[in-house]
């Protein structure tokens, strides 16, 4: 989102278009479902402006590079740090404490311009991907640009130096070098988007080509490039007019036809990227004022040059910075959803803050006085980045302190658990008092980490098979030398039962072997995951797991899954029959091998982040409760057990120990029931152990 030395009205107009569609997309996604492509337009614009500047005055020394980077510091850091610092403070005051740690973590990464890599890591983590967006998440695109600014001038310096050394034409060598980078990045983007789309959206290698396309346009059109005469190169007027309108049409088409389900970036990003490049190459505001042809004006150029459009382009950087924190934080004050009045407040407040930031922050730091001496911008940048890191770290320390106290409270609650603790509170005829917010365990901010030991961040082990290949992961819990062995098989809704099994293993001296995969259900059916490669890997994992469990010969297989993706050829809502058949095939294979199988009915799923809801409604946590008919899923596993018709295969439904006949509670017996939108907390799962024990003993004892 860089700004050029000499302002081109068409580029300012493009900036206005880009930030406008992003703003509308974030406040009202249904209006412009593909509005996220505005970021891609910004990438092209930045690539064009930066490359134009670098090739007009190619860097030849380390000082040249330092001067270039100092300009980026002055122009970009002050405003971004202002927004980051303000957002951290506002989040602490407005957002529930469940959001503090993730916001601080991402703000720290944003202050160091690496948050895109953190988001990529979280995106491929099934559980982390379900986290609510933080108010600093939009800094991912700024991180991509800053990383581009760090590498691109070095590449150009090397290419220009190579041209001088080899006496090859600089234009040829630079064009070839940049073209190779663009082609390599585009190829990688297409491949990575097809194989790992969650991470591909954020990482820098899949995005460099978009900025590079802008660089190639600069090579073709910008003035003073590598000694070219001081004049903008544009196509003949009729071609320029067609090119400009075609570019705007391409951007508009992607904005209205793309959506969150469009694999992106990949080849789909070519439409908005090439559309933006076409408008820049056409330079419509120049053709509209041309007097040499005498053929009139270009309406596109006139539109882009309108004063309101130019003003929005001028403040576009600050608009981008400010709008997203407002989108995320305002619902905490307005009741959880954005109404039309909220949307209007966001837009107006964003424009006001952007105008003030442009006037009092962006412009003053861009004045030449801040450029001398050369070390001054670097001291400024280091100070500003350190400020964000310190603020974020202070927030993380507070979260750590609260977690320590919450863990002590949880330990005390577990040690004194009575007849109304957790699932026991649902015992028919039992009357239990309501637990006040301060005595709920685990504390809402601690609940997202109250997961089973199958997760690496809790138990020190990684027991999950993940995309893209679903490699075999086998973990052992309980008594490794026990004579009674239990196999736990399924996806994350099987993993949530591990704490209950561990409690039983401790009591009965059992060994627990886990065969777990993220999202992939243990059913012999083609499951439609993010890519065909992921679906094929899931199929392979199911078949390999069936064979591995059969070879292990456990005394009992405990199997359960969440159906979160459709079966091939079906929608999610009508996939039940396909999963029923797939479950039956798996369980029949184990029964034929002489194994006993207990299939657990899938647990209720709220569909909302329960810890966040509880923290937000601390005065009345019942606001987070739901109806059994809404939360309890249709699970074909019980029908599949009947289809197998073997005395070795039985089903059990323990949902009546999670929901009563009339309500599913977010807090049951003083325990937060879920650590996210569908998975049981480890604490609550442990309270289900006695009921699971009954179902298991029936099969173990024949």
């Amino acid at each position: 989102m860089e700004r050029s030395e000499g302002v081109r009205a068409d580029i300012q107009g493009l900036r206005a278009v880009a930030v406008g569609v992003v703003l509308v997309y974030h406040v009202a996604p249904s209006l412009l479902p593909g509005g996220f492509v505005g970021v891609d337009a910004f990438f092209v614009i930045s690539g064009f402006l930066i490359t134009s500047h670098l090739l007009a005055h190619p860097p030849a020394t380390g000082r040249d590079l330092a001067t270039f980077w100092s300009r980026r510091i002055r122009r970009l850091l002050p405003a971004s740090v202002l927004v980051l610092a303000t957002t951290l403070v506002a989040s602490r005051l407005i957002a529930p404490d469940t959001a503090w740690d993730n916001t601080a973590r991402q703000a720290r990464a944003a202050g160091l311009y690496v948050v895109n890599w953190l988001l990529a890591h979280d995106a491929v983590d099934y559980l982390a991907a379900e986290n609510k967006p933080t108010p600093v998440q939009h800094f991912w695109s700024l991180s991509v640009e800053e990383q581009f600014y760090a590498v691109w001038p070095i590449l150009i310096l090397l290419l220009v130096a190579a041209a001088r050394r080899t006496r090859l034409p600089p234009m040829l060598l630079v064009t070839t070098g940049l073209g190779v980078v663009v082609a390599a990045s585009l190829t990688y983007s297409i491949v990575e988007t097809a194989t790992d789309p969650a991470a591909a959206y954020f990482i820098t290698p899949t995005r460099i080509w978009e900025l590079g396309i802008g660089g190639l346009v600069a090579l073709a059109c910008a003035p003073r490039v590598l000694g070219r005469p001081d004049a903008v190169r544009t196509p003949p007027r009729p071609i320029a007019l067609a090119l400009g309108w075609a570019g705007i049409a391409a951007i508009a088409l992607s904005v209205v036809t793309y959506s969150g389900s469009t694999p992106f970036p990949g080849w789909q990003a070519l439409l908005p990227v090439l559309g933006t490049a076409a408008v820049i190459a056409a330079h419509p505001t120049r053709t509209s004022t041309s007097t040499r042809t005498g053929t009139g004006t270009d309406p596109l150029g006139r539109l882009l040059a309108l004063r309101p459009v130019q003003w929005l382009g001028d403040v576009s950087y600050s608009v981008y910075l400010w709008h997203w924190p407002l989108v995320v934080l305002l619902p905490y004050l307005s009741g959880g959803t954005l109404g039309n009045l909220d949307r209007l407040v966001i837009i107006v407040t964003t424009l006001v803050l952007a105008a003030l930031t442009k006037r009092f922050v962006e412009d003053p730091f861009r004045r030449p006085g801040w450029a001398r001496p050369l070390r001054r911008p670097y001291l400024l940048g280091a100070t500003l980045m350190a400020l964000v890191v310190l603020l974020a770290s202070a927030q993380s320390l507070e979260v750590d302190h609260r977690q320590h106290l919450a863990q002590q409270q949880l330990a005390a609650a577990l040690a004194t658990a009575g007849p109304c603790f957790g699932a026991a509170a649902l015992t028919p005829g039992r009357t239990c008092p309501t637990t006040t917010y301060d005595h709920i365990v685990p504390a809402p901010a601690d609940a997202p980490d109250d997961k089973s030991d199958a997760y690496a961040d809790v138990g020190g082990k990684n027991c999950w098979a993940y995309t893209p290949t679903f490699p075999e992961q086998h973990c052992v819990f309980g008594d490794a030398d026990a004579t009674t062995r239990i196999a736990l098989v399924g996806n994350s809704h099987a993993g949530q039962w591990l704490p209950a099994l561990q409690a039983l293993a401790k009591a009965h001296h059992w060994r627990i072997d886990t065969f777990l995969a993220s999202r992939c259900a243990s059913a012999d059916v083609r499951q439609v995951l993010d890519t065909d490669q992921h679906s094929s890997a899931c199929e392979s994992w199911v078949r390999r797991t069936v064979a591995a469990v059969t070879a292990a010969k456990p005394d009992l297989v405990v199997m359960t899954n969440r159906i979160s993706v459709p079966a091939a050829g079906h929608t999610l809502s009508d996939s039940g029959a396909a999963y029923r058949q797939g479950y039956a095939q798996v369980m029949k294979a184990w029964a034929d091998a002489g194994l006993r199988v207990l299939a657990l009915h899938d647990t209720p799923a709220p569909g909302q982040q329960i810890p966040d809801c509880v923290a937000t409604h601390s005065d009345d946590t019942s606001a987070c409760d739901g109806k059994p008919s809404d939360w309890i899923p249709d699970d074909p596993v019980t029908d599949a057990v009947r289809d197998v018709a073997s005395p070795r295969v039985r089903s059990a439904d323990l949902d009546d120990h999670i929901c009563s006949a009339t309500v599913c509670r977010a807090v049951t017996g003083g325990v937060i029931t879920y650590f996210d939108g569908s998975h049981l907390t480890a604490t609550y799962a442990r309270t289900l152990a006695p009921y699971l024990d009954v179902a298991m003993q029936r099969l173990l004892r024949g």
Side-chain angles (χ1 to χ4, degrees):
M1 300 175 188
E2 178 57 32
R3 180 186 178 91
S4 65
E5 298 290 351
V7 177
R8 273 180 49 172
D10 59 319
I11 288 180
Q12 290 302 89
L14 270 178
R15 278 197 175 107
V17 171
V19 81
V21 298
V22 169
L23 179 58
V24 173
Y25 170 69
H26 282 152
V27 299
S30 60
L31 294 181
L32 297 178
F36 56 85
V37 303
V39 172
D40 303 87
F42 273 125
F43 284 159
V44 179
I45 294 168
S46 294
F48 173 81
L49 295 175
I50 288 299
T51 307
S52 299
H53 172 77
L54 289 169
L55 293 180
H57 308 282
T61 65
R63 184 173 182 83
D64 292 341
L65 294 175
T67 301
F68 169 82
W69 289 323
S70 72
R71 190 175 293 112
R72 306 284 79 72
I73 291 171
R74 291 187 292 114
R75 293 187 172 185
L76 301 177
L77 255 69
S80 66
V81 168
L82 171 65
V83 174
L84 281 173
T86 303
T87 301
L88 275 169
V89 174
S91 297
R92 174 60 181 80
L93 297 175
I94 296 172
D97 57 1
T98 51
W100 295 352
D101 187 52
N102 205 30
T103 298
R105 189 171 63 103
Q106 291 187 16
R108 184 163 47 243
L112 299 173
Y113 288 97
V114 293
V115 72
N116 63 314
W117 292 99
L118 177 61
L119 290 170
H121 173 271
D122 288 350
V124 299
D125 181 341
Y126 171 53
L127 297 180
E130 294 188 351
N131 289 338
K132 294 181 67 173
T134 74
V136 299
Q137 184 169 303
H138 64 314
F139 273 79
W140 75 267
S141 63
L142 304 181
S143 297
V144 170
E145 288 198 15
E146 287 297 317
Q147 292 159 35
F148 171 79
Y149 298 154
V151 175
W152 203 246
I154 297 175
L155 175 61
I156 289 177
L157 181 150
L158 295 175
L159 290 172
V160 173
R164 290 169 180 164
R165 181 176 292 274
T166 60
R167 297 185 180 180
L168 291 173
M171 183 65 73
L172 173 64
L173 195 58
V174 172
T175 302
T176 302
L178 300 189
V180 167
V181 172
V182 168
S185 174
L186 175 58
T187 301
Y188 181 77
S189 181
I190 293 171
V191 172
E192 188 71 3
T193 300
T195 58
D196 198 3
Y201 190 85
F202 295 108
I203 60 177
T204 307
T206 62
R207 297 287 188 166
I208 286 294
W209 70 272
E210 301 183 34
L211 294 113
I213 288 289
L216 294 179
V217 174
L219 277 166
C221 304
R224 303 188 304 277
V225 167
L226 298 174
R228 180 186 294 154
D230 187 9
V232 178
R233 297 164 63 89
T234 56
R237 179 178 171 79
I239 296 177
L241 294 176
L243 195 62
W245 282 108
I248 285 292
I251 297 171
L253 183 63
S254 60
V255 165
V256 298
T257 62
Y258 286 5
S259 69
S261 62
T262 304
F264 209 82
W267 63 267
Q268 290 88 346
L270 282 167
L271 187 61
V273 166
L274 294 182
T276 305
V279 176
I280 295 174
H283 202 338
T285 50
R286 182 173 187 270
T287 58
S288 68
T289 57
S290 175
T291 58
R292 290 177 295 175
T293 62
T295 56
T297 61
D298 175 9
L300 175 59
R302 294 169 59 189
L303 286 173
L304 294 177
L306 288 173
R307 182 167 295 180
V309 177
Q310 291 292 296
W311 179 86
L312 183 58
D314 286 342
V315 299
S316 59
Y317 177 52
S318 289
V319 167
Y320 183 82
L321 291 175
W322 282 113
H323 84 284
W324 181 248
L326 294 171
V327 169
V328 174
L329 294 177
L330 185 60
Y332 291 122
L333 299 176
S334 63
T337 57
L338 291 178
N340 290 332
L341 179 60
D342 300 314
R343 296 184 177 97
L344 180 62
V345 168
I346 289 172
I347 292 173
V348 172
T349 305
T350 295
L351 296 179
V352 170
L353 290 174
L356 294 173
T357 304
K358 174 71 165 54
R359 170 68 176 83
F360 295 106
V361 180
E362 289 189 62
D363 290 346
F365 282 102
R366 287 175 175 175
R367 291 169 185 155
W370 271 97
R372 295 183 297 269
L374 185 56
R375 66 177 180 274
R376 190 180 186 189
Y378 287 93
L379 291 173
L380 170 69
T383 301
L384 293 176
M385 293 171 75
L387 173 64
V388 172
V389 171
L390 286 173
L391 283 173
S393 298
Q395 184 64 81
S396 295
L397 286 173
E398 181 183 2
V399 170
D400 290 344
H401 176 67
R402 285 171 171 253
Q403 283 186 332
H404 177 69
L405 296 178
Q407 288 165 2
Q408 290 179 331
Q409 183 180 4
L410 175 58
L414 290 172
T416 60
C420 285
F421 187 71
L426 295 176
T427 301
R430 184 168 294 171
T431 302
C432 296
T434 301
T435 305
T436 61
Y437 180 81
D438 291 340
H439 292 89
I440 290 173
V441 294
D446 212 31
D449 292 325
D450 192 36
K451 299 179 287 192
S452 82
D453 288 343
Y455 294 97
D457 57 345
V458 175
K461 298 179 181 178
N462 188 347
C463 303
W464 298 93
Y466 287 107
T467 55
T469 60
F470 287 106
E472 294 182 23
Q473 295 286 356
H474 176 222
C475 291
V476 177
F477 298 90
D479 185 352
D481 298 323
T483 56
T484 300
R485 293 177 298 155
I486 310 297
L488 177 62
V489 184
N491 57 25
S492 60
H493 274 216
Q496 70 181 349
W497 285 98
L498 180 59
L501 286 172
Q502 286 176 289
L504 296 178
K506 182 178 180 180
H508 300 309
H509 302 289
W510 290 345
R511 166 178 167 146
I512 311 296
D513 294 271
T514 64
F515 302 83
L516 303 172
S518 178
R519 297 184 71 193
C520 178
S522 52
D524 191 3
V525 61
R526 177 86 174 179
Q527 299 169 50
V528 183
L529 297 175
D530 295 331
T531 69
D532 286 341
Q533 179 183 347
H534 293 182
S535 296
S536 297
C538 173
E539 278 188 297
S540 176
W541 178 83
V542 172
R543 291 166 185 165
R544 285 184 283 111
T545 298
V546 170
V549 171
T550 302
K553 298 186 183 302
D555 296 276
L556 178 64
V557 178
V558 177
M559 167 185 164
T560 185
N561 297 274
R562 179 191 187 192
I563 299 176
S564 61
V565 298
H570 300 271
T571 64
L572 183 60
S573 60
D574 69 3
S575 294
Y579 274 100
R580 174 178 176 175
Q581 182 178 0
Y583 285 145
Q585 289 176 352
V586 168
M587 291 186 288
K588 186 176 186 303
W590 286 330
D592 290 344
L595 303 183
R596 297 166 178 167
V597 181
L598 176 64
L600 299 178
H601 189 281
D602 190 19
T603 51
Q608 61 172 325
Q609 295 291 321
I610 290 300
D612 288 344
C613 184
V614 171
T616 303
H617 298 88
S618 59
D619 55 338
D620 182 15
T621 61
S622 65
C624 306
D625 297 344
K627 298 178 181 179
S629 58
D630 295 332
W631 284 23
I632 297 178
D634 293 327
D635 190 353
V637 73
T638 304
D639 292 332
V641 169
R642 284 196 288 264
D643 293 343
V644 175
S646 168
R648 293 181 175 275
V649 180
R650 290 286 180 264
S651 64
D653 187 344
L654 303 183
D655 288 349
D656 57 349
H657 299 290
I658 301 173
C659 298
S660 70
T662 57
V663 65
C664 297
R665 297 199 181 280
V667 179
T668 307
V671 179
I672 290 186
T673 318
Y674 299 89
F675 68 71
D676 59 2
S678 73
H679 299 86
L680 301 174
T681 59
T683 301
Y684 195 82
R686 289 187 193 98
T687 69
L688 291 168
Y691 315 105
L692 178 61
D693 192 25
V694 173
M696 293 176 67
Q697 293 293 352
R698 288 173 183 165
L699 269 173
L700 284 171
R701 295 172 181 173

